[in-house]
Amino acid sequence: MLLPIDFAIHVVFHALALADVNTMIPKWQTRTLLHGIRAIVGGQGPPLVLVPGWPQTAEAFSDIFEPLSKHYQFFALDPPGLGDSLPPANGYDTANVSKIMAEAIHDALQEKQYHLVGHDVGGWISYPWAAQYQSRIKSLSILDAAVPGFQAPFQFPLSRQTNLRLWQFSFNALPELPEILTTGRERELMTWFFNLKTVHPDGLPKDQSERYIQAYSRPGAMSRGFEYYRAFETSSKQNLEFAKTPLDIPVLALGGASSVGSGMIQLVQNFATNVSGSAIDDCGHFLPEEQPSAVAQKLLEFLDANQE
């Protein structure tokens, strides 16, 4: 647990991370969009929307803000109920959540088209977002995400390796028990989780992991994250319906080589016809934090090729 002075120091360092250290003027702006969606906004150019996963916030993409901002105006969003965004009024199924986020972006951008990128739960959200609003979206990128409805079947008992990768899908979806076991121990759970899912020990930058821990240690924050998993079955059924009309926009599928890897391509081909992608070397599940340079390069190559 951080002492007050420790937390104050952390806040200062977090502010510096989002500022131009030469001028001390905030480099990226924080805005509240329609429906109480929090956005970090920066750069100039065609719009690019970034959606993080669980247990993360919009800061998951902070190490790629700089290269993206040279070519695009990015909007990094906290999904409803996560980070500093208001919870959804009508449930955490991804058809509903993506509709809320799309309305917020459409209100901010008016008639402009945009590129959409989602990691983890952000990938869960981004697929139905694209399925419902394909005419507004130039391209879709999904980073290391088990999009509901398209997982391979598993036989029980699960292997040790599979169980380590997927335990959270069962645990987080349970009623009440996750809250009973994690309240007051958010730091221990998340530190263990981040170390498990990254290739190298302490694979996440300290300022980012600390931001996540602080955000999810707030009252009710872990519950709101768990609700995405509790809605997984509903989201799966919705996605299987959406997939009856496959996406024909360009889709990039990237996976960490020590996580889903190039298997992301096969997963995304379940619901899209124009798919490219690859594995990111020396990388676990947290692509934007573990390998920001490689991820930025892959994204920019793809986005630039599909800008017109």
Side-chain angles (χ1 to χ4, degrees):
M1 182 66 67
L2 286 178
L3 298 174
I5 185 64
D6 295 324
F7 181 68
I9 292 171
H10 161 68
V11 170
V12 170
F13 277 107
H14 177 66
L16 289 175
L18 298 180
D20 185 326
V21 295
N22 294 317
T23 63
M24 298 307 294
I25 297 172
K27 195 164 191 177
W28 322 123
Q29 303 298 318
T30 300
R31 293 169 52 183
T32 301
L33 307 182
L34 185 69
H35 301 311
I37 298 298
R38 179 223 184 205
I40 302 174
V41 184
Q44 294 183 338
L48 169 63
V49 179
L50 307 168
V51 188
W54 177 92
Q56 296 158 284
T57 64
E59 282 80 2
F61 298 97
S62 60
D63 284 344
I64 63 173
F65 285 167
E66 185 66 37
L68 295 180
S69 71
K70 296 176 180 178
H71 306 272
Y72 296 89
Q73 181 188 35
F74 68 80
F75 292 75
L77 309 180
D78 285 343
L82 305 185
D84 294 321
S85 287
L86 293 179
N90 298 313
Y92 286 82
D93 60 276
T94 52
N96 179 58
V97 167
S98 61
K99 182 174 183 290
I100 291 169
M101 299 183 79
E103 289 177 355
I105 285 294
H106 296 172
D107 179 70
L109 297 179
Q110 297 303 309
E111 300 301 317
K112 291 181 180 179
Q113 287 187 305
Y114 52 92
H115 299 277
L116 181 60
V117 178
H119 169 248
D120 185 74
V121 170
W124 304 7
I125 295 167
S126 296
Y127 166 58
W129 184 335
Q132 294 174 95
Y133 302 98
Q134 187 171 182
S135 65
R136 295 296 305 271
I137 297 171
K138 290 186 175 182
S139 74
L140 171 65
S141 299
I142 298 183
L143 315 182
D144 217 86
V147 179
F150 307 108
Q151 303 75 37
F154 295 103
Q155 292 185 341
F156 289 86
L158 297 177
S159 69
R160 180 179 182 276
Q161 183 178 11
T162 301
N163 195 40
L164 284 171
R165 282 184 53 216
L166 301 178
W167 66 271
Q168 70 272 20
F169 286 86
S170 297
F171 178 77
N172 291 1
L174 292 170
E176 301 178 1
L177 185 63
E179 286 87 346
I180 292 170
L181 296 180
T182 62
T183 299
R185 298 189 62 83
E186 295 87 358
R187 178 176 296 277
E188 289 82 358
L189 170 67
M190 295 174 68
T191 300
W192 180 85
F193 185 75
F194 295 145
N195 288 339
L196 174 72
K197 295 279 186 174
T198 53
V199 169
H200 300 286
D202 300 321
L204 294 191
K206 292 297 184 184
D207 60 335
Q208 287 171 309
S209 60
E210 191 61 38
R211 160 64 179 164
Y212 306 152
I213 290 167
Q214 292 295 327
Y216 285 91
S217 295
R218 299 170 186 166
M222 289 294 281
S223 286
R224 292 188 289 272
F226 296 147
E227 290 299 333
Y228 280 88
Y229 290 84
R230 291 166 179 157
F232 193 92
E233 184 175 359
T234 299
S235 299
S236 296
K237 293 176 181 177
Q238 294 167 344
N239 287 346
L240 291 172
E241 284 298 312
F242 290 138
K244 292 178 180 178
T245 305
L247 299 177
D248 59 11
I249 58 174
V251 183
L252 177 67
L254 298 177
S258 295
S259 185
V260 182
S262 59
M264 281 301 304
I265 299 171
Q266 287 72 43
L267 185 150
V268 172
Q269 286 173 337
N270 286 298
F271 54 78
T273 59
N274 183 5
V275 182
S276 60
S278 64
I280 300 295
D281 292 336
D282 196 31
C283 189
H285 173 62
F286 294 97
L287 276 65
E289 296 103 317
E290 291 186 71
Q291 292 293 344
S293 296
V295 170
Q297 180 179 350
K298 293 284 188 182
L299 282 176
L300 286 170
E301 289 173 354
F302 173 73
L303 296 172
D304 293 349
N306 294 288
Q307 179 48 40
E308 295 302 324

